[in-house]
Structures are given as structure tokens and as C-alpha cells.
């Protein structure tokens, strides 16, 4: 296996990407904010067969964090990240500095207007503008032909899809299923913030999702009743504070009342100061596989 190449300068990234392109080498990119887990690594594997060179970016993007969010304490461990990426056969890592990415005179942003304002966007007003802007710039800087994203961030995935369509971006998008811990909790770099008690509470998130998936198939199809059932499960734990539970059309993210087709359920909760999100597809034809070892 060839040694992993780390590029930190924008100029070097562009000239290397141009060189690769000239030689007909198709780059596959997994954009990340680092502190990698199995979910990220599964995305690196998802690139297999879709490109000639697998790359990842590691960049904690300041403009997708709100003023009172966790930018300063976002977990970082670049040495470990590079080892993990190298083991997965990643040949290139782009890890620019915030100063180079956002010089003082930086002023261009991308906004996928309506989709960025619902769900998480109601509580994180500039978040998806920050995501769309950085993802577009990473596509441009790396000249990637294909890029992979996880479906744990379901709204982010739809925003990126819409940006690709609206701006005719010449990149193929791949989306990987959410990778879960044994109790069903979605893997996330932010799980590192949880202490043992909070980690146990977090197991109620997948419990509520598995419950709603089963219930929508066998009994109740009204989203208000299903939401109430999920709230009952989560509210048994005073340490969990629900921010939202929404039932939406998976493509448009518009609210859905009756579950008579495939519907996406998305939620955000706080456990202590940690905000966790998750989602599941429910309704006729949905492809829910039971999470491991869950009972409600
Ligand atoms: O999903 C993430 O880790 C980030 O939002 C992304 C796509 C790398 C953009 O900063």
C-alpha cells in the first residue's frame, strides 16, 4: 500500500487534483470533520469501484457552527484519523487550516434555501449554508468525481443532493447507511461527549425509532399519534430533552400527516449539553432492518 499523502495548502490541493485529473485518475472523496468512527470508514469503503483514488478531507468547518455551539470543543485526533484512513486504503487526505479556508476577506456562500430552514435548520439557522458552502468548495478543490456522505445526517444529504442538482455539479453522490452501536445508537463523533449515564440514556433514541417503525407498519398511521408514542418513550427519561420529532417526505422534507407511503422520521434531542440527531424510514415499502438487541 502506498503511503498516505497529506495536503494542507489549497494551492497544492488544486495543482495535485489537476495533475491526477490530467492522468485520468478519478478521485473519490469522503468529506469529514475528523474524529473518525466506523461510520466514516464505511463511507471510504463505499467508494470502492467508483474511483481510482480514495481521498478524505478532515476539516472542522467553523461556518456550520452557531455562536453557542461546540466548535471549540469539537473532538479532534488527527494522528488516529490518519492511521484509520490509511488502513482503509485512503491515499490522500486534505486537511486545510481554517485561516486558509476562510481568509478575512472571504465572502461567498451557498444556500439551498427552503430545505435549509426546516428540521435542524429551525434551530441552527446558518448550519446548512455552512455545510453547502464547504462541501461545494471541497468538490472544487479536490476535483472529485464521486463523494460519499452518511445518511445519519439525513437533512444534510438532501441539501447536498439538491445543491448538486440545482448547480449541475459534475460529481456522483453516494450515500451510506447509518452505522450503529450494539444498542442501536447511531455512531457520531459527538457521542464522545457522553458520560456513562448519558450514553445509556442515548439508547432510548434508537428504541423510539424502532418503535415508530414497527407501529407504523402494524397499527397507527397518523403522524401526530406516532410522535406522541415516541415522546412517551423518550420522556420516560428526564435526562433526555426532545428538540423536535418530525415526519417528512424523504425528498422534499415537507411534513407528512398520514403514513401511507415511505416517510422519514427525523429527531433531535439533547442529553445534557450534547445534541444528538437520528432518523429512520418508515411506512409501506420501507426497508427497516431491526436494530441489534433492542426491545421496548
Ligand atoms: O457531515 C459532516 O461531517 C460535515 O457536515 C461535512 C459534510 C464534512 C461538512 O463539513
Amino acid at each position: 500500500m502506498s503511503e498516505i499523502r497529506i495536503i494542507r495548502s489549497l494551492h497544492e490541493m488544486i495543482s495535485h487534483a489537476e495533475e491526477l485529473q490530467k492522468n485520468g485518475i478519478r478521485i473519490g472523496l469522503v468529506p469529514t470533520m475528523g474524529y473518525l468512527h466506523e461510520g466514516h470508514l464505511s463511507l471510504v469503503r463505499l467508494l470502492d469501484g467508483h474511483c481510482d483514488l480514495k481521498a478524505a478531507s478532515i476539516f472542522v468547518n467553523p461556518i456550520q457552527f452557531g455562536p453557542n455551539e461546540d466548535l471549540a470543543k469539537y473532538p479532534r485526533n488527527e494522528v488516529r484519523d490518519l492511521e484509520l484512513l490509511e488502513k482503509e486504503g485512503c491515499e490522500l487526505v486534505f486537511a486545510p487550516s481554517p485561516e486558509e479556508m476562510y481568509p478575512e476577506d472571504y465572502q461567498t456562500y451557498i444556500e439551498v434555501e427552503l430545505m435549509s430552514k426546516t428540521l435542524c435548520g429551525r434551530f441552527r439557522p446558518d448550519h446548512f449554508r455552512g455545510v453547502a458552502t464547504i462541501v461545494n468548495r471541497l468538490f472544487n478543490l479536490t476535483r472529485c468525481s464521486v463523494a460519499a456522505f452518511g445518511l445519519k445526517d439525513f437533512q444534510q444529504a438532501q441539501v447536498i443532493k439538491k445543491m448538486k442538482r440545482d448547480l449541475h455539479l459534475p460529481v456522483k453522490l453516494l450515500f451510506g447507511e447509518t452505522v450503529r452501536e450494539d444498542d442501536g445508537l447511531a455512531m457520531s463523533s459527538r457521542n464522545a461527549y457522553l458520560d456513562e449515564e448519558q450514553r445509556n440514556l442515548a439508547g432510548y433514541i434508537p428504541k423510539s425509532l424502532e418503535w415508530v417503525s414497527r407501529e407504523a407498519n402494524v397499527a397507527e398511521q397518523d403522524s401526530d399519534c406516532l410522535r406522541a408514542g415516541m415522546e412517551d418513550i423518550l420522556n420516560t427519561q428526564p435526562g433526555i430533552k426532545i428538540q423536535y420529532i418530525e415526519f417528512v417526505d424523504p425528498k422534499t422534507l415537507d411534513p407528512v400527516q398520514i403514513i401511507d407511503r415511505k416517510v422519514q422520521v427525523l429527531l433531535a434531542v439533547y442529553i445534557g449539553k450534547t445534541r444528538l440527531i437520528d432518523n429512520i424510514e418508515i411506512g409501506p415499502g420501507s426497508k427497516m432492518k431491526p436494530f441489534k438487541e433492542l426491545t421496548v
Side-chain angles (χ1 to χ4, degrees), residues 11-191:
H11 176 75
E12 186 185 345
M13 186 64 248
I14 293 169
S15 56
H16 187 58
E18 280 175 357
E19 190 63 28
L20 290 169
Q21 229 179 14
K22 227 187 287 160
N23 292 319
I25 296 172
R26 294 166 307 161
I27 302 177
L29 179 71
V30 179
T32 83
M33 298 207 298
Y35 212 72
L36 304 182
H37 50 69
E38 187 49 36
H40 298 110
L41 302 179
S42 72
L43 296 178
V44 177
R45 291 194 282 277
L46 195 62
L47 292 175
D48 282 338
H50 295 277
C51 60
D52 306 305
L53 183 146
K54 297 198 277 184
S57 58
I58 299 177
F59 181 64
V60 182
N61 176 33
I63 67 161
Q64 70 187 72
F65 288 78
N68 300 316
E69 293 182 357
D70 55 343
L71 173 62
K73 67 169 185 144
Y74 196 82
R76 290 162 167 91
N77 189 342
E78 196 188 81
V79 173
R80 183 174 164 274
D81 289 347
L82 294 174
E83 276 169 22
L84 291 170
L85 290 168
E86 190 159 18
K87 266 197 212 130
E88 284 308 330
C90 215
E91 289 179 71
L92 175 64
V93 172
F94 179 46
S97 69
E99 293 75 25
E100 218 192 330
M101 285 303 277
Y102 298 107
E104 268 176 25
D105 64 344
Y106 188 82
Q107 47 183 308
T108 305
Y109 298 88
I110 291 181
E111 186 143 7
V112 179
E113 290 187 345
L114 297 180
M115 270 189 180
S116 297
K117 298 292 172 223
T118 61
L119 303 163
C120 287
R122 272 171 50 215
F123 305 94
R124 307 186 73 192
D126 289 330
H127 173 68
F128 291 109
R129 173 190 194 245
V131 169
T133 302
I134 191 67
V135 168
N136 190 289
R137 292 180 68 204
L138 290 170
F139 288 173
N140 290 336
L141 287 160
T142 63
R143 306 280 198 269
C144 59
S145 317
V146 50
F149 297 88
L151 287 171
K152 204 254 318 170
D153 298 299
F154 189 84
Q155 186 175 9
Q156 168 173 285
Q158 303 318 307
V159 166
I160 294 169
K161 257 194 219 172
K162 187 81 181 91
M163 171 177 74
K164 174 202 144 95
R165 274 201 305 273
D166 286 353
L167 298 182
H168 318 286
L169 302 182
V171 57
K172 175 173 170 177
L173 298 178
L174 302 175
F175 295 99
E177 290 299 327
T178 303
V179 179
R180 296 180 180 279
E181 305 283 358
D182 282 348
D183 66 347
L185 178 65
M187 288 196 185
S188 162
S189 307
R190 289 189 166 98
N191 292 351

Side-chain angles (χ1 to χ4, degrees), residues 9 15 29 37 40 49 69 99 119 122 134 175 181 191 194 196 220 222 226 230 249 262 264 266 289 295:
S9 108
S15 56
L29 179 71
H37 50 69
H40 298 110
E69 293 182 357
E99 293 75 25
L119 303 163
R122 272 171 50 215
I134 191 67
F175 295 99
E181 305 283 358
N191 292 351
L194 304 172
E196 198 182 328
E220 187 54 69
D222 183 81
L226 291 166
M230 290 176 73
D249 179 282
K262 281 187 196 166
Q264 208 72 24
L266 291 90
K289 296 181 238 75
T295 44

